[in-house]
Amino acid sequence: MNCLEERIVKDGVVKEGNILKVDSFLNHQLDVELFDEMGKEWARRFEGVEINKILTIEASGIGIACVAARHFNAPVVFAKKSHSINLDGEMYTAEVESFTHKNKNMVIVSKKFLNENDKILIIDDFLANGCALQGLISIINQAGATVSGIGIAIEKGFQNGGQIIRNMGYRLESLAIVDEMDAKSGNIIFRK
Amino acid sequence: MNCLEERIVKDGVVKEGNILKVDSFLNHQLDVELFDEMGKEWARRFEGVEINKILTIEASGIGIACVAARHFNAPVVFAKKSHSINLDGEMYTAEVESFTHKNKNMVIVSKKFLNENDKILIIDDFLANGCALQGLISIINQAGATVSGIGIAIEKGFQNGGQIIRNMGYRLESLAIVDEMDAKSGNIIFRK
């Protein structure tokens, strides 16, 4: 087990409805030492891949992306979520439908900060159905930029987001892939 | 001038209505090398002060707080913004009225992550009227925790948030205090 998997076993809580609570270290209280280890691991896995910018999405992706970015010598851009559509033409936007929450959100990035020369590593905390990720990929495509890779902290391997992304040919490196988890026993089984 | 002031002069844009756009390095695209320098400077200014946790607020405070936190060996907790009031009793909440936007928002932190033993450094990107900061201080008081200090990237010195906070006896360290700025000329005058 790597450091993230060990931490999930130690401090993660499995709840009914396929919910994995990791708010004590990943997405409410943030263990920045762990984020640094995660950044090192992504840097190792993406060694030799051209990456000049990191793209993430508010709010819980930002901390992980910023600490990890120190290992890539790259700036971070974070996409904003909004309920309204920006019509001024200065923004890349993607409408993202959440399968989980059954609602639609806009994902927005200023055109100033993405262009056709960018080689982008996407970083986010969770991948389940992949809604947010699809929005970020759409925005990168609108900018004519390149998706160099995708780094996810925790992938819910029993949902189909990861498979869809891999089927589309993207290089996806999830540090912990949960294949099974059980709210009664609290057991978590990671993919090998 | 310190590194942040130099960067504001180089890449900040003054707009009508006392708006200082710093989205190319501080709150949309994020220069994590700069954040690291800012973290070092806060660590120098707060040397000898007991700090075991950093509190910030989503979204644009998170990246700065996480990179700075590496210089304090402390975890980060970020307060969430919400339009609805959480009634389950497991959250500290503060209602924050924005003078600028004339609306009310809830600021929320789980009770799990703040307690009476915590010595907290608040970090945020901007201080103008101090609305968000007042909400964070209220939450720290609800938890019985201690405000060890407040680190702000950019303080708008011509608005009264900073003065109110200093009058209340809090130690406030703003890395750049803008005393005057002019949209026509683009001139920015920092406090010495």
Side-chain angles (χ1 to χ4, degrees):
Chain A
M1 283 201 288
N2 64 37
C3 59
L4 178 60
E5 291 170 328
E6 283 171 6
R7 189 59 174 276
I8 294 167
V9 168
K10 180 169 167 278
D11 291 326
V13 178
V14 183
K15 300 244 181 186
E16 294 293 344
N18 278 330
I19 293 167
L20 177 59
K21 291 269 283 185
V22 288
D23 58 352
S24 66
F25 58 97
L26 201 76
N27 51 21
H28 188 8
Q29 183 167 252
L30 313 176
D31 182 340
V32 295
E33 301 293 325
L34 175 68
F35 291 4
D36 190 57
E37 290 301 316
M38 291 161 58
K40 267 185 214 163
E41 177 62 18
W42 279 315
R44 193 185 67 76
R45 295 191 189 189
F46 288 107
E47 198 180 349
V49 178
E50 200 180 350
I51 290 164
N52 75 318
K53 202 167 275 180
I54 291 175
L55 181 66
T56 188
I57 184 163
E58 67 174 3
S60 41
I62 298 173
I64 300 169
C66 283
V67 175
R70 304 268 300 137
H71 296 279
F72 291 90
N73 296 312
V76 171
V77 174
F78 71 88
K80 302 181 181 195
K81 290 176 191 167
S82 172
H83 296 286
S84 59
I85 299 171
N86 183 300
L87 295 166
D88 70 2
E90 294 172 1
M91 302 281 178
Y92 299 116
T93 63
E95 192 179 59
V96 170
E97 189 168 357
S98 168
F99 295 102
T100 312
H101 300 289
K102 307 287 177 212
N103 63 0
K104 288 181 184 180
N105 266 296
M106 299 302 295
V107 179
I108 297 170
V109 174
S110 170
K111 288 188 177 176
K112 290 186 289 185
F113 305 130
L114 288 182
N115 67 59
E116 68 275 13
N117 298 316
D118 284 327
K119 315 288 184 195
I120 295 171
L121 175 64
I122 300 173
I123 284 189
D124 206 3
D125 58 339
F126 265 99
L127 171 58
N129 287 304
C131 300
L133 204 46
Q134 290 151 27
L136 295 179
I137 291 170
S138 164
I139 279 173
I140 292 171
N141 289 338
Q142 289 171 45
T146 305
V147 180
S148 293
I150 301 164
I152 296 291
I154 303 175
E155 178 182 338
K156 288 179 168 173
F158 50 86
Q159 290 184 247
N160 66 352
Q163 189 185 15
I164 292 166
I165 294 293
R166 289 186 182 93
N167 283 347
M168 290 166 78
Y170 293 108
R171 176 152 173 204
L172 168 61
E173 294 286 350
S174 301
L175 299 185
I177 304 177
V178 176
D179 271 338
E180 291 177 48
M181 57 185 196
D182 184 72
K184 285 209 183 72
S185 66
N187 277 351
I188 298 169
I189 297 170
F190 295 107
R191 192 172 300 175
K192 292 238 158 71
Chain B
M1 283 200 286
N2 64 37
C3 59
L4 179 60
E5 291 170 327
E6 283 171 6
R7 189 61 174 273
I8 293 166
V9 169
K10 181 169 166 277
D11 291 327
V13 179
V14 183
K15 301 244 181 188
E16 293 294 343
N18 278 332
I19 293 166
L20 177 60
K21 291 269 284 186
V22 288
D23 59 352
S24 66
F25 59 96
L26 201 76
N27 52 19
H28 188 7
Q29 182 167 254
L30 313 176
D31 182 340
V32 294
E33 302 292 326
L34 175 67
F35 290 5
D36 191 57
E37 290 301 317
M38 291 160 57
K40 265 184 216 163
E41 177 61 18
W42 279 316
R44 191 184 68 76
R45 296 192 189 188
F46 288 107
E47 198 179 349
V49 178
E50 200 181 352
I51 289 164
N52 75 317
K53 201 168 277 179
I54 290 175
L55 181 66
T56 188
I57 185 163
E58 66 175 4
S60 41
I62 298 173
I64 300 168
C66 282
V67 175
R70 304 267 300 134
H71 295 279
F72 291 89
N73 295 313
V76 172
V77 173
F78 72 87
K80 301 180 182 196
K81 290 177 191 167
S82 172
H83 296 287
S84 59
I85 300 171
N86 183 298
L87 296 167
D88 70 2
E90 294 173 359
M91 302 281 178
Y92 299 116
T93 63
E95 192 179 60
V96 171
E97 188 168 358
S98 169
F99 296 101
T100 313
H101 300 291
K102 308 288 177 209
N103 63 1
K104 288 182 184 182
N105 265 295
M106 299 302 295
V107 178
I108 297 170
V109 173
S110 169
K111 288 189 177 177
K112 289 186 290 185
F113 304 131
L114 288 181
N115 66 60
E116 68 275 13
N117 299 315
D118 284 327
K119 314 289 183 195
I120 294 172
L121 174 65
I122 299 173
I123 284 189
D124 206 2
D125 58 339
F126 265 98
L127 171 58
N129 287 306
C131 300
L133 204 46
Q134 290 151 27
L136 295 179
I137 291 170
S138 164
I139 279 173
I140 291 171
N141 289 338
Q142 288 170 46
T146 304
V147 180
S148 293
I150 300 164
I152 296 291
I154 303 175
E155 177 181 337
K156 288 179 169 173
F158 50 85
Q159 292 185 248
N160 65 352
Q163 189 186 15
I164 292 166
I165 294 294
R166 288 186 183 93
N167 283 349
M168 291 167 76
Y170 293 109
R171 177 152 172 204
L172 168 61
E173 293 286 351
S174 302
L175 300 185
I177 303 177
V178 177
D179 271 337
E180 291 178 48
M181 57 185 197
D182 184 71
K184 285 209 182 75
S185 66
N187 277 352
I188 299 169
I189 297 170
F190 295 107
R191 192 171 300 175
K192 290 239 158 73

